C-alpha cells in the first residue's frame, strides 16, 4: 500500500506569507523563507508553495532583516529552493510553458496550474508532455454555489466556471494531469475540518492522486481527509503556523489514527 | 503611505499589517474580534490547561513565567498564582539597562506574590559588544534583549524540565493583527527568530564583517542558543499566550496591579506619554524606539495611541496629537548609551541614517530628511545634536541603576 503524504502549504501574497480565510482575507505572517526552514527540520513529506499575488508587487516593506526583501517571484523561488530539501511544488500565476520552465529550472519539482488549465485544458497536455505528468498538478478551487451545488472557481476563487469539480477533475486527468490539488474556498481558514464529501467524490472519480486542502483546524482533521475523504495526501496551510513542532505533531496524529505515513 | 482610518498605524511599519476596503488595519480588526469572543469559556480553557500541567506531588514547578517586572509580568504572575493556583518559576533576562523603578517593581512583585525567581544577566562586556554590533548590523542595539527574553526562559524550561511557559500577549497579533484570536497560537522558534530577532541568530554575531569586528565567541553566547527541536520535543515544551484566554486590557490591568503595589515611572519618558511601559530597559522607549522612527517614520507614541484608541481611551484626533508631539523626539538616553558603548553622536547619526526607508524618507534641497505625516502635510525632521546642545542628563539616567 502506498504511503499517505502530509503536505504543508504556504501561501505567498505580495512577498509575505499569509494566513488565508475564504480566499479573500489575508493576514500577514512574515517573510517567504523562515517557515520553509522549519518544515525542513520537521521532515514533512512535501511542500506546496503557492503565489497568490494578484498584481506584480512583491515587497516585505522592511530592510533591517537578515532575509532581505526580494521584489521578484523567481528570486523568491530561488531562495525557497535553496532552503527546501523536500519535494517542492510551486504554483500560482502560471500561464505558459516558459513559466513552468522558469520554476522547474529554479528548483521546483512540480507546479500547480489552475486558471490557465481552465482557460485552455490542452495546456495540461502540453505541459505534461514537456515536463512529465508527474510534474503537473492541477489545482481545483471549489465553492458551493447559490444552488447549493459544488462549482469550480478560477482566478483566485473569484470567477465561477459552471464546472462541477468531479467532471473537471476527470477531464484534467484525461488531459494529462499527474495529481489533483483540491481546495475548498468555503472551508479555507474556517478550521472546522475538510469537506470530506467533496474530497471523496473527486477521489473516487479519478485514479491519479488527490491532495486534500482547506479547513484543517485540528490535527485530527488530517486523518479524516484520508479515512473519510479517501485522499492520497493531506495538505493544510494556516494550522502549521500556530504551534511549535506543528509538522511533527501532525504526523504523530496521523500515525495515531493508524494511517500509513512515513515515520 | 497609507494610515489606518481608525487608529494611527502607517502601512510601512515594523509589524506586518494589511488594510481592508475601508482602510481599517488588521490590528483594529483583531481588536474587534476580541469583542465577539466568549471570554468566560476561554477562562475555562486555560483552567483545563493549568490542570493538565499542575504537578501534584510537589516535585517540580508547574510552569515558567518569563518576566521583566513590568505591568504585564505582574498580571501574568497574579493570574497564574491567584486565579489558576499554579506554582510558577519566574525567569528574567536582564538587559543590564533597568531603570530603578523597574527594578523596584521586579523585587516587589516576587514579594507581593510570594514566588521563586530566576534572574539571569549575561556578561556586561558581551552586552556592550552586542549593543554596538547589532546597531550596525540591523539598526537595533537591543537585539540581545529580544533574543534573551525569548530564548533564556525556554532554556530554563528545558533544563528544569518544566514544559509549560505562560507568555503575556502575542504582540504582533495585538498590534498588527497577525493572527486570528481563534488560532490560539503558541510561541514558536520561528516567531523568535523571524520576528523577535529579525532572522539573526546567535551565530550571526560571530561574523567578522568589515566594521563589525567585536570578537564575540560561541562561549559568550550560550544563553542565546534556543533549545533544539529534539530537546523541545522530549519534554513537549509549550508556550501559551495568556492574551488568548483573557480579554487583555493593558490599562485596566495596570490599575489592578497598582493596587498590589506596581509603580509607574515617577518621571515622563521623552518619546511617549505612557509611564507604565518598558520600565525594565531605559533604552526601549528611548533610542531603541527612536531607531524605529528613523527607519519607518513612526514610534512608540503611535503604538501606544493605537492601543488606547482601540480600547476607547483616546480619540483618533488625540492619538494624532500624540504622534505629532512624540514620534520624532531624539531621546536623551542616547547620551548614556553613547558612553556605555563608546561611540560619538555623529557616528551614531551616520549609521542610523543608513537604515532610513526610502519609501518613507526623502531629502529636501537643504539636505534635511522629510516625510509625509498622518495629519496631511509633509515636514522636515532635522537631526539635532544632543551633545552640542549640552542637554542635561535626563531624570531617567539619574535614576538608572549605576552600571
Ligand atoms: Zn488600525
Amino acid at each position: 500500500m502506498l504511503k499517505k503524504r502530509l503536505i504543508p502549504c504556504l501561501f505567498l501574497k505580495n512577498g509575505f506569507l499569509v494566513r488565508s480565510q475564504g480566499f479573500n482575507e489575508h493576514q500577514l505572517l512574515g517573510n517567504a523563507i523562515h517557515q520553509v526552514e522549519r518544515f525542513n527540520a520537521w521532515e514533512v513529506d512535501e511542500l506546496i508553495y503557492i503565489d497568490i499575488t494578484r498584481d506584480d508587487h512583491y515587497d516585505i516593506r522592511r530592510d533591517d532583516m537578515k532575509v532581505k526583501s526580494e521584489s521578484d517571484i523567481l528570486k523568491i523561488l530561488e531562495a525557497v529552493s535553496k532552503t527546501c530539501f523536500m519535494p517542492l511544488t510551486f504554483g500560482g500565476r502560471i500561464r505558459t510553458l516558459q513559466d513552468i520552465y522558469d520554476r522547474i529550472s529554479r528548483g521546483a519539482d512540480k507546479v500547480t496550474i489552475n486558471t490557465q488549465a481552465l482557460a485552455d485544458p490542452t495546456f495540461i497536455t502540453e505541459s505534461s508532455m514537456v515536463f512529465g505528468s508527474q510534474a503537473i498538478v492541477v489545482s481545483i478551487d471549489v465553492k458551493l454555489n447559490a444552488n447549493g451545488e459544488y462549482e469550480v472557481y478560477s482566478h483566485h476563487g473569484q470567477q465561477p466556471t459552471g464546472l462541477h469539480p468531479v467532471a473537471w477533475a476527470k477531464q484534467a486527468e484525461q488531459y494529462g494531469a499527474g495529481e489533483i490539488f483540491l481546495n475548498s474556498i468555503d472551508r479555507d481558514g474556517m478550521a472546522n475540518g475538510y469537506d470530506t464529501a467533496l474530497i471523496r467524490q473527486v477521489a473516487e472519480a479519478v485514479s491519479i492522486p488527490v491532495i486534500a486542502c482547506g479547513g484543517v483546524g485540528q490535527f485530527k482533521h488530517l486523518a479524516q481527509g484520508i479515512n473519510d475523504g479517501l485522499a492520497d495526501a493531506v495538505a493544510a496551510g494556516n494550522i502549521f503556523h500556530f504551534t511549535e513542532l506543528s509538522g511533527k505533531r501532525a504526523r504523530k496524529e496521523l500515525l495515531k489514527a493508524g494511517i500509513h505515513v512515513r515515520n | 503611505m497609507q494610515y489606518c482610518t481608525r487608529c494611527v498605524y502607517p502601512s510601512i511599519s515594523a509589524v506586518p499589517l494589511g488594510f481592508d476596503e475601508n482602510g481599517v488595519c488588521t490590528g483594529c480588526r483583531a481588536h474587534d474580534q476580541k469583542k465577539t469572543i466568549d471570554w468566560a469559556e476561554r477562562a475555562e480553557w486555560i483552567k483545563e490547561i493549568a490542570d493538565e500541567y499542575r504537578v501534584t506531588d510537589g516535585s517540580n514547578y508547574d510552569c515558567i513565567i518569563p518576566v521583566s517586572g513590568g505591568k504585564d509580568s505582574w498580571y501574568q504572575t497574579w493570574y497564574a498564582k491567584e486565579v489558576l493556583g499554579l506554582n510558577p518559576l519566574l525567569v528574567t533576562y536582564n538587559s543590564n539597562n533597568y531603570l530603578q523603578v523597574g527594578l523596584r517593581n521586579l523585587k516587589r512583585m516576587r514579594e507581593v506574590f510570594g514566588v521563586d525567581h530566576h534572574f539571569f544577566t549575561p556578561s556586561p562586556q558581551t552586552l556592550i559588544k552586542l549593543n554596538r554590533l547589532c546597531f550596525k548590523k540591523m539598526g537595533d542595539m537591543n537585539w540581545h534583549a529580544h533574543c534573551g527574553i525569548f530564548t533564556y526562559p525556554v532554556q530554563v524550561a528545558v533544563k528544569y524540565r518544566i514544559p509549560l511557559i505562560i507568555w503575556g500577549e502575542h504582540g504582533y497579533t495585538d498590534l498588527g493583527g497577525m493572527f486570528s484570536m481563534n488560532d490560539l497560537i503558541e510561541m514558536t522558534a520561528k516567531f523568535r527568530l523571524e520576528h523577535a530577532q529579525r532572522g539573526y541568530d546567535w551565530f550571526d554575531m560571530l561574523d567578522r564583517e568589515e566594521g563589525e569586528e567585536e570578537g564575540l565567541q560561541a562561549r559568550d553566547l550560550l544563553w542565546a542558543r534556543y533549545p533544539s527541536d529534539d530537546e523541545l520535543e522530549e519534554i513537549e515544551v509549550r508556550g501559551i499566550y495568556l492574551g488568548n484566554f483573557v480579554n487583555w486590557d493593558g490599562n485596566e490591568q495596570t490599575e489592578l496591579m497598582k493596587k498590589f503595589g506596581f509603580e509607574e515611572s515617577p518621571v515622563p519618558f521623552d518619546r511617549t506619554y505612557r509611564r507604565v511601559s518598558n520600565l525594565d530597559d531605559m533604552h526601549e522607549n528611548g533610542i531603541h524606539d527612536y531607531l524605529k522612527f528613523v527607519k519607518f517614520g513612526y514610534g512608540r507614541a503611535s503604538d501606544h495611541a493605537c492601543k488606547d484608541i482601540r480600547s476607547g481611551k483616546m480619540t483618533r484626533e488625540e492619538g494624532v496629537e500624540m504622534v505629532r508631539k512624540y514620534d520624532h523626539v531624539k531621546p536623551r538616553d542616547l547620551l548614556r548609551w553613547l558612553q556605555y558603548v563608546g561611540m560619538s553622536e555623529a557616528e551614531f547619526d551616520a549609521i542610523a541614517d543608513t537604515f532610513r526607508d526610502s519609501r518613507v524618507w526623502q531629502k529636501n534641497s537643504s539636505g534635511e530628511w522629510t516625510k509625509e505625516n498622518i495629519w496631511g502635510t509633509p515636514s522636515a525632521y532635522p537631526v539635532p545634536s544632543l551633545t552640542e546642545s549640552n542637554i542635561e542628563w535626563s531624570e531617567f539616567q539619574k535614576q538608572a541603576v549605576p552600571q
Side-chain angles (χ1 to χ4, degrees), chain B residues 36-311:
Chain B
T36 66
I37 285 170
D38 180 350
W39 291 105
E41 182 186 31
R42 298 237 171 167
E44 289 304 314
W45 293 353
I46 194 170
K47 273 191 194 127
E48 282 166 24
I49 295 173
D51 288 340
E52 187 185 332
Y53 288 90
R54 197 184 308 278
V55 178
T56 48
D57 66 0
S59 63
N60 202 351
Y61 297 96
D62 298 325
C63 66
I64 281 180
I65 308 179
V67 295
S68 65
K71 60 181 174 46
D72 295 354
S73 308
W74 277 62
Y75 186 77
Q76 283 156 255
T77 306
W78 171 76
Y79 198 91
K81 186 88 200 303
E82 308 300 332
V83 180
L84 300 174
L86 293 172
N87 178 32
L89 173 62
L90 309 193
V91 180
T92 300
Y93 168 85
N94 172 23
S95 67
N96 207 29
N97 293 332
Y98 265 93
L99 291 166
Q100 285 189 359
V101 59
L103 267 191
R104 283 200 296 277
N105 278 331
L106 186 65
K107 182 168 175 289
R108 194 173 300 133
M109 181 176 73
R110 65 187 175 222
E111 290 164 2
V112 167
F113 298 116
V115 285
D116 292 355
H117 184 201
H118 181 112
F119 187 83
F120 174 79
T121 313
S123 126
Q125 280 81 352
T126 298
L127 292 182
I128 289 168
K129 288 175 182 176
L130 284 173
N131 264 268
R132 255 190 320 247
L133 179 64
C134 295
F135 171 57
K136 291 176 187 168
K137 228 184 211 336
M138 65 191 94
D140 180 3
M141 23 63 72
N142 258 354
W143 176 89
H144 73 91
H146 314 314
C147 173
I149 287 165
F150 286 104
T151 305
Y152 193 73
V154 186
Q155 278 192 3
V156 173
V158 167
K159 278 181 193 148
Y160 287 71
R161 304 183 73 81
I162 306 168
L164 182 66
I165 306 177
I166 301 181
W167 301 90
E169 254 187 319
H170 187 265
Y172 278 74
T173 295
D174 173 54
L175 285 173
M178 180 176 277
F179 289 96
S180 154
M181 292 301 292
N182 293 329
D183 296 341
L184 295 175
I185 62 150
E186 299 183 2
M187 155 72 174
T188 62
K190 185 243 178 186
F191 176 82
R192 162 195 174 265
L193 183 63
E194 180 179 343
H195 298 296
Q197 300 177 190
R198 299 200 165 82
Y200 292 95
D201 215 334
W202 65 272
F203 45 81
D204 295 309
M205 303 304 143
L206 311 180
D207 286 356
R208 301 288 183 278
E209 278 176 48
E210 186 71 25
E212 291 186 348
E213 304 87 352
E214 291 288 358
L216 282 165
Q217 297 181 26
R219 66 176 187 207
D220 300 322
L221 297 161
L222 294 171
W223 52 271
R225 294 181 176 217
Y226 203 71
S228 69
D229 280 354
D230 288 345
E231 287 172 308
L232 297 175
E233 201 177 7
E234 196 201 333
I235 61 158
E236 294 185 50
V237 172
R238 181 171 177 202
I240 62 169
Y241 292 97
L242 185 53
N244 280 325
F245 304 96
V246 302
N247 194 357
W248 199 275
D249 181 324
N251 292 317
E252 251 176 50
Q253 289 166 9
T254 305
E255 289 315 306
L256 178 62
M257 292 305 117
K258 279 181 180 169
K259 289 187 186 132
F260 290 104
F262 176 78
E263 196 187 338
E264 65 174 33
S265 172
V267 287
F269 285 100
D270 287 357
R271 294 186 43 76
T272 183
Y273 59 95
R274 273 200 190 182
R275 288 197 195 189
V276 294
S277 302
N278 305 103
L279 308 180
D280 58 315
D281 187 330
M282 71 182 92
H283 300 307
E284 190 62 25
N285 277 342
I287 57 166
H288 164 72
D289 187 60
Y290 173 70
L291 287 165
K292 188 162 76 187
F293 176 73
V294 171
K295 288 175 184 174
F296 304 115
Y298 79 103
R300 187 144 281 147
S302 286
D303 294 333
H304 289 163
C306 288
K307 288 175 184 240
D308 287 338
I309 291 167
R310 290 172 192 163
S311 71

Side-chain angles (χ1 to χ4, degrees), chain A residues 16 19 25 27-31 34-35 38 42 59 61-62 64-66 242-245 248 252, chain B residues 11 14 17 177-180 183 185-186 188-190 194-195 198-200 204 229 233 295 359:
Chain A
F16 282 99
R19 177 197 185 282
E25 203 178 303
Q27 282 158 285
L28 311 182
L29 300 178
N31 81 47
H34 280 293
Q35 194 62 37
R38 297 303 283 149
W42 300 333
D59 183 359
R61 303 190 297 223
R62 61 186 296 180
D64 58 344
M65 314 275 282
K66 184 180 174 191
F242 300 160
T243 55
E244 189 60 282
L245 306 180
K248 290 184 174 219
K252 276 185 199 161
Chain B
S11 54
L17 85 182
M178 180 176 277
F179 289 96
S180 154
D183 296 341
I185 62 150
E186 299 183 2
T188 62
K190 185 243 178 186
E194 180 179 343
H195 298 296
R198 299 200 165 82
Y200 292 95
D204 295 309
D229 280 354
E233 201 177 7
K295 288 175 184 174
R359 290 155 295 194

Side-chain angles (χ1 to χ4, degrees), chain A residues 74 77-78 96-108 111 131:
Chain A
L74 296 177
L77 168 58
E78 277 173 19
T96 63
L97 291 174
Q98 181 68 40
D99 289 339
I100 300 178
Y101 176 78
D102 288 343
R103 284 154 181 79
I104 287 183
S105 64
R106 283 173 178 79
V111 294
F131 301 99

Side-chain angles (χ1 to χ4, degrees), chain B residues 3-9 17 19 23-29 175 306 310:
Chain B
Y3 296 91
C4 176
T5 51
R6 201 188 295 171
C7 70
V8 295
Y9 262 129
L17 85 182
F19 294 88
V24 176
C25 78
T26 42
C28 284
R29 290 241 302 267
L175 285 173
C306 288
R310 290 172 192 163

